[in-house]
Each structure stands twice: as C-alpha cells, then as structure tokens.
Amino acid sequence: MEVISSSTSTPLAFVSASESAAANNSPLYDDNDNSSPVQLITSQSQFEEQILQTEDIWIVQFFANWCKASQAFAVPYKEFLGEILKGVIRVAAVDMSDSNSEFYKSMKSQYNLKGSYPTLYIFGSDKKKPPMLYKGKNDLQEILNEGVKAIVETIQTRANKLLGSQSSQNQFNAKPSGSSNDKTVKLDQSNFQSLVLNDNKNIWMVAFIAPWCGHCKALMPDWMEASAKLHGEGVLLGVVDATVETALASQYAVKGFPTIKIFPGGPKTSSSAIDYQGGRTVAQIVQYALAEVDRTGIPKEIPELTNEDMLQEHCSGANKLCVLVALPHILDSGASGRNKYRETLAKVSKSFRGTPFEFLWFEGGNSQMELESVLEFTFGYPAVAAISLEKQVFSVQRGSFNEKAISKFLNSIISGRQGTLPMISPPKVVTTTPWDGLDAAPVEEEPLDDIMGEDWGEL
C-alpha cells in the first residue's frame, strides 16, 4: 500500500524501518485527545479489549512515529478517513514505534508485519474470521470502499440470523402462482464454472439475490415463470444467493440486490458478464432474453420425435401445445429437401418463441403410422398438426407448407378461431433411430430373373 502526502498528490511508497530510523519521533496520535476520531492503541490488553472483544468494525493502522510514510499518512488518516467514518466504522492506530516491547513483538508475529508502515487491516464484526489485509493503492476512496464491504457483509450476516435464512430462502423456492413449472438453476461456487462458464451454447441470465431483499422477493415469481417460458429456447436462468456465495458476488461486483448478469452465447469467461438492462416482468425478461438469442445465441434446432419420452417431455403439462410435423420419407425428399423443410419449421418456431408451442418433427409414412392415424394424416406429406395432450384434442393444418401459412394456422389457434377435434386414443410413439443427416441409400431392385426364374420370358 502507498499513502498520499498532505502537501502533494505524488504518492510516497512505504519505507522499511531501517530506512526510516532518522525520522522525527514526535507522537502522530494523541491518546489524551478525546475529540480525535482515531483511537490510539499502545498495549496488548487495550488491543484485545477495544478491538477483538467487540462486534464493531475497525480499520486499524499499524504505524511507527519515526516512519516518514506514517507521518505523511497521519493527516489524511485523522482529518479525512477518521472524520468520514465517525459513528460508522471505528478507526484505530496501533503504535509500533518501540521494537523492543513485547507488544511490538506480539503484533508483528500475529499480523505478519514486515517492518514497513503504515499497514492497514480491516476487522469485521465477526472477530472469529481473520481480518483483511488492505493491499490497495494510496486512495482513501478505495479504503472507504473496503470498509463499506465489511458493513454490507455484517448486515447480511445479521439479517440472515435474525430473519431466518431458511424460511426466507423458501420464498425463492416457491412456485410462481399460475405456473407449475420452474426451470431456474441454483448456482453456487461449486457449479458456476461447469454450468455457466463452460456452456458454449446457451445464454445465461443470473440473478444475484439476498433472502431478506424485498425487491428480490418481488422478482422471483416472474424470474421462475420466465425460466419456464424460455425453456428450450437457448436461454437458462440461474439464481445465486449472494449472502452465502459472497466470493461469487464479489467476483461479479454485486453491490445491490437483485443484480442480474448476462452471459452471452458462445465461449464464456468471467469477464463475459454484462449488466442486465431490461425490465423485471415476465414479458420483459423473455423479450430481452430472446433478443440476446438473436444477437449471440445458437439458432434453435427442431428436435426429431423418436420415442414416447420425448413426446411427454415436450408436450405434457398445463397449457402446453405441441406442433407435430410429418416430413416426407427421406427417399422422397432427400437430405437437401428435408433440411429445407426443417429450416421452414425453424423460422416458424422463432416467430412463436415465448408462446406455449413446442415443435417436433418425424418421418412420415414409416414407423409412426399409429400416431398419424390419431392425427388423421391422410393427405400426404409434409403434414402439420397441433395437439394438446392435457385436453386430448388436436387440429390439422390444411394449407400449404410455408412459413406464412403455418404461422396463420398457429395464430388462429391462439386466437381461438381454429376448431379442434378429440383424439380417438392417446398418441403413441414408436422408438426409432434418429436421422443421421444423410441421404438414404437407394433401394436395390431385385432382377426379375431372380424373382420369376431364368425362363420366365420364354413362356
């Protein structure tokens, strides 16, 4: 650490005891001055009684009267730091002038003092925790900031103890009213790197909260509901209890609650985080997240329906609607044609992000004939139907297979203009092998001679 001279803005580096032996020995702090904001400490018993045995927060300077750097720092320490923190944080000065005293030896050993002064330590309210050695530059504002951090930590600790961190935390774990889904991810020091920073695909929105914070309690129902609406859209919403994960909160410069950080799509580091600038309602969170998907996210790929579990995962639940699309057999469309159909679906899906619709496709005219029968796909491929597993109803699109026509069909469902039919039975999905992305090998036709015999043409 360096200090500022009272007569110049040029910093004076701390100097060692051997370099300062010839300096003035006049006292820098007066033990008899009751008006001074700085408490002078000159003995072990005084140090323990006034600092270690209290719950007060202390900024403690270890100094020596003969040290030039200590002399230069005395005026700003008393007249600025001491006055600013009066009644908020206690300020002390520990006299290390007598290198032969037992007090000197005890302090030097206990706080690893190297003989360079002044040295600053910040003692928090909980004296069971080791004090923090201040390693910053000669900036009073920086010293004040460290003191403020100690105040915030003390408030958080006491609030958790008095308000009950467990009962308060339960409010964050409660499901939002009107929604049975909560897709938020609880993050902490043990999983933040693996889940967030190592995720090169998804966008992460992380809310740093405190259980006692009223604004956090107001945010969480919308945060959880937004997480459900954004599920599968390339955006994940996380929650960090900053009163527990203090290291994470400090790393990401969390100064108030809630603080929301955005980690864009693609490769991430801790420096990738940007501040969230959007609103805090469900609609505003979803809108901001989807805009970030357009900016840095990976385009969503429509999954292929290959088993019953996928149908239940994507289509089960209150107010969920699934768009099932039967694409032509690979022998009919080829890989190029199939990919064009999938691109059309991806565009439609993008237009309906944040709505109840989930999109799945399967190969028509092959393994899923029972499913096609339930959906009344009797007119060729591609074919599109929207289903509600909850209500066991469906509706089939009868128009062309293009972005405009499919969007019109889905909008008519949202508006209630599109009629529905009851399913004759619950839809069943046969387990199939996912498409490998390649063209199908042409079917070899068996020669007629092999089928009819070599002499069939002579008859």
Side-chain angles (χ1 to χ4, degrees), residues 13 35 85 95 174 244 259 284 331 363 374 434 437 439:
S35 64
L85 295 175
D95 190 352
V244 175
T259 292
Q284 291 169 326
L331 289 173
E363 184 174 72
V374 171
D439 282 312

Side-chain angles (χ1 to χ4, degrees), residues 100-391:
N100 295 318
S101 70
E102 291 300 319
F103 177 53
Y104 170 91
K105 295 175 184 177
S106 174
M107 291 291 101
K108 182 178 180 180
S109 172
Q110 190 171 352
Y111 297 105
N112 196 28
L113 302 174
K114 305 295 186 181
S116 294
Y117 304 112
T119 296
L120 290 184
Y121 273 94
I122 298 175
F123 290 75
S125 175
D126 184 359
K127 299 304 188 298
K128 294 179 181 179
K129 295 182 178 180
M132 187 200 79
L133 173 63
Y134 176 71
K135 298 179 180 180
K137 296 181 180 180
N138 56 334
D139 185 353
L140 292 180
Q141 184 61 55
E142 191 172 331
I143 298 172
L144 286 171
N145 290 342
E146 293 300 328
V148 170
K149 288 181 182 179
I151 293 174
V152 172
E153 182 178 351
T154 298
I155 293 173
Q156 291 173 346
T157 301
R158 291 176 179 176
N160 286 342
K161 185 181 296 185
L162 294 175
L163 298 178
S165 60
Q166 185 59 47
S167 61
S168 297
Q169 186 63 43
N170 288 340
Q171 297 185 47
F172 295 108
N173 295 332
K175 304 293 184 185
S177 59
S179 172
S180 60
N181 291 322
D182 172 17
K183 301 296 184 181
T184 56
V185 181
K186 185 177 181 180
L187 298 169
D188 54 36
Q189 192 72 52
S190 68
N191 63 11
F192 200 92
Q193 177 76 34
S194 60
L195 293 182
V196 179
L197 299 185
N198 291 348
D199 187 346
N200 294 335
K201 179 180 178 182
N202 294 300
I203 292 158
W204 277 84
M205 300 174 68
V206 180
F208 291 82
I209 57 89
W212 45 260
C213 162
H215 292 300
C216 301
K217 294 175 184 177
L219 168 69
M220 289 312 296
D222 291 273
W223 195 247
M224 290 188 283
E225 189 172 344
S227 75
K229 287 183 176 293
L230 290 166
H231 182 61
E233 300 292 350
V235 185
L236 295 170
L237 271 59
V239 179
V240 174
D241 183 345
T243 65
V244 175
E245 304 299 327
T246 54
L248 275 178
S250 176
Q251 181 179 1
Y252 292 103
V254 175
K255 293 182 171 36
F257 305 114
T259 292
I260 300 173
K261 297 288 183 178
I262 308 298
F263 295 82
K268 300 174 183 63
T269 65
S270 57
S271 60
S272 301
I274 57 177
D275 290 326
Y276 174 70
Q277 302 294 342
R280 295 181 181 176
T281 66
V282 175
Q284 291 169 326
I285 294 167
V286 170
Q287 182 183 27
Y288 188 101
L290 295 180
E292 186 63 32
V293 170
D294 290 340
R295 192 174 71 85
T296 65
I298 297 174
K300 179 180 178 181
E301 184 172 320
I302 307 301
E304 180 184 3
L305 179 59
T306 58
N307 55 64
E308 181 70 22
D309 288 343
M310 286 188 67
L311 181 71
Q312 298 302 323
E313 177 187 351
H314 288 271
C315 304
S316 293
N319 301 319
K320 265 198 172 183
L321 299 173
C322 253
V323 179
L324 302 182
V325 180
L327 296 182
H329 196 284
I330 191 65
L331 289 173
D332 296 327
S333 66
S336 175
R338 176 169 289 183
N339 284 330
K340 288 180 180 178
Y341 289 130
R342 292 169 70 233
E343 287 171 9
T344 298
L345 277 181
K347 291 177 181 177
V348 175
S349 172
K350 181 178 178 181
S351 300
F352 285 85
R353 292 180 308 191
T355 70
F357 288 114
E358 292 269 357
F359 291 76
L360 297 165
W361 70 272
F362 61 92
E363 184 174 72
N366 195 351
S367 301
Q368 308 299 348
M369 298 309 296
E370 183 179 350
L371 175 61
E372 291 185 39
S373 176
V374 171
L375 300 178
E376 298 186 4
F377 284 174
T378 59
F379 47 85
Y381 310 103
V384 180
I387 70 168
S388 168
L389 288 184
E390 178 190 21
K391 298 179 180 178

